[in-house]
Amino acid sequence: ANIHTLSNFSYLGNDTLQTDGSSELEFVYRDVRMVTERLGVGFQVLTSFFVDGPDASFGVGSWGVGPIVRAYPLRSDQFQPYIQANSLFGNNLAVSELANTANGGNGFRVRLGLRAGMAFRITGDLGIFTEIGYDWESSRLFKADARALQANIGIDYYLFN
């Protein structure tokens, strides 16, 4: 889960910058299946919920779906470093400064990401992970108009067939 605090900064004469106090909580579900011992492919589904400060409104902020490719360069059972390339195709996905604009991130968006992470397996079925990496986003593929550095933490559930 990622928490994004979105602020709408506006200049009010000689007054200081003010923020609208809106916040967004983003949830990402990832399903990665191992193709080989060190390579996994899968998909992710993203949705976010927002709370808007002055109006006290609540709703779905954005949603998206896309593929994932993940590589585990080291052979390990408990500590599992990985690198990941992912993409999202969805609605209202605005990241970083673009999220603070009135309608810059509205409509269909494409988000490409590159991450490095570390998973720690607590038990055979359960683990935690942390990752960091960049996201590039635009309304067209490979034409980024926004980017953001994201740091994520989460829970891994391991399922063996």
Side-chain angles (χ1 to χ4, degrees), residues 16 34 51 70 79 87 92 100 117 149:
T16 59
M34 298 308 293
V51 177
R70 184 180 289 177
F79 288 99
S87 64
N92 301 337
N100 294 335
L149 178 65

Side-chain angles (χ1 to χ4, degrees), residues 135-161:
D135 282 336
W136 295 269
E137 187 177 295
S138 67
S139 57
R140 297 186 335 218
L141 197 57
F142 304 120
K143 196 78 169 162
D145 56 11
R147 73 169 188 234
L149 178 65
Q150 288 198 9
N152 305 322
I153 58 170
I155 298 171
D156 278 333
Y157 180 70
Y158 301 99
L159 180 64
F160 299 97
N161 295 335

Side-chain angles (χ1 to χ4, degrees), residues 94-108:
V95 294
S96 193
E97 303 267 328
L98 194 62
N100 294 335
T101 62
N103 59 6
N106 290 350
F108 177 78

Side-chain angles (χ1 to χ4, degrees), residues 64-92:
V65 63
I68 296 175
V69 176
R70 184 180 289 177
Y72 295 90
L74 302 177
R75 192 173 186 172
S76 172
D77 289 333
Q78 192 167 22
F79 288 99
Q80 299 168 325
Y82 63 87
I83 54 174
Q84 173 180 297
N86 55 271
S87 64
L88 279 170
F89 303 90
N91 196 37
N92 301 337

Side-chain angles (χ1 to χ4, degrees), residues 111-131:
R111 184 185 296 177
L112 303 176
L114 192 58
R115 307 252 188 283
M118 174 69 78
F120 174 70
R121 182 175 274 170
I122 299 169
T123 68
D125 296 335
L126 190 65
I128 57 174
F129 73 89
T130 183
E131 64 185 19

